[in-house]
Amino acid sequence: MGVTRAGLTSDAETGAARLALRLSPIDEADFARQAAALAATDNGIPDSALRGGGGRAPLGMRPTLVVLDPGHGGVDPGAVHEGTQEANITLTFARELAEALERTGRYEVVLTRDSDVFVSLEARITVAHAAQADVFLSLHADALADGEAVGATVYTLAEGAADAAATALAERHDRDDLMGGGVDLTGTDDTVAGVLMDMARVQTRPATDRLARALVGGIRDADLHMHRHPWQQAAFSVLKSPSVPSVLVELGFLSSDADRARLGDRRWRTQMERALIAALDTWVAGEVALQDLRLR
């Protein structure tokens, strides 16, 4: 059987999601072609993600490598409200932000997806590790049933989710994929891999918190509207990398008329891009200063 139609829809009022699949009989050759096409859209690492290599210069002596993760895509459109799909909004913003970052000359950018394709949550983490990213930013624009949430929000991994994340990653990921090339865990069992990832987070978690603080400050300094609780924690899968500071940014809520208008406004997106770049500049400067103190 082959997939002839697939789609995910959500009800803005109830929050319920419905996945619809239509299967039809196909021959072996067509089945093989569909399987190959699916494999190409998931777990495939963009060529640009492979630019990172061992022995890189310290942060501050080279461009900072940022992985931008436009949420959803392909059969998963994300939130849908008033005909606007989250997957399209995040991809548009990620492309524009990537261009703005690279224009500064201070950043290199890798996108987890650069078209409307499906990429699994764990494959997005794999891209960050393959690129040896300095920062991972996942971009979203959710919709809530009550329609009351308004403004940008920054999320980091909830403290209680870290242990569970280490266990889950150790069970499912290839060992050489878990630490971004820093430590080869091949041959280690799940318990040892989990402990080593927890140790990695001892350094990564404070850097992530500093990144979140800089992002909230940068957005506020740009006088852009933020949620009444601008920095929150959650167990989002894409935040579970043990070795890359990872933050999820809700740019706004499609369920809010004001946010939806802002997300569709190129001038507003440019302001947000500048705010995020200023925040990243602040974070990089702080990390370089800490790095210099450790070297002394």
Side-chain angles (χ1 to χ4, degrees), residues 3-134:
V3 178
T4 55
R5 182 181 300 175
L8 185 69
T9 58
S10 60
D11 189 314
E13 294 184 0
T14 65
R18 179 174 181 269
L19 175 64
L21 296 173
R22 176 173 292 178
L23 304 178
S24 302
I26 57 175
D27 60 29
E28 291 185 8
D30 285 340
F31 184 88
R33 279 194 291 271
Q34 281 204 5
L38 178 61
T41 64
D42 186 28
N43 292 314
I45 301 173
D47 291 341
S48 58
L50 300 176
R51 70 181 72 174
R56 289 192 304 164
L59 194 65
M61 298 180 66
R62 56 172 172 77
T64 300
L65 204 155
V66 179
V67 169
L68 296 180
D69 173 43
H72 307 284
V75 296
D76 173 19
V80 181
H81 197 85
E82 300 290 337
T84 302
Q85 293 188 0
E86 181 180 7
N88 294 337
I89 289 288
T90 58
L91 181 58
T92 296
F93 185 83
R95 286 170 169 168
E96 293 170 353
L97 177 58
E99 183 180 344
L101 282 165
E102 293 191 327
R103 273 202 310 267
T104 69
R106 302 187 296 275
Y107 297 93
E108 293 182 10
V109 181
V110 170
L111 273 66
T112 58
R113 66 179 182 96
D114 58 8
S115 60
D116 186 25
V117 296
F118 174 78
V119 181
S120 73
L121 299 175
E122 290 184 5
R124 296 167 192 262
I125 298 176
T126 297
V127 170
H129 289 170
Q132 295 192 19
D134 297 303

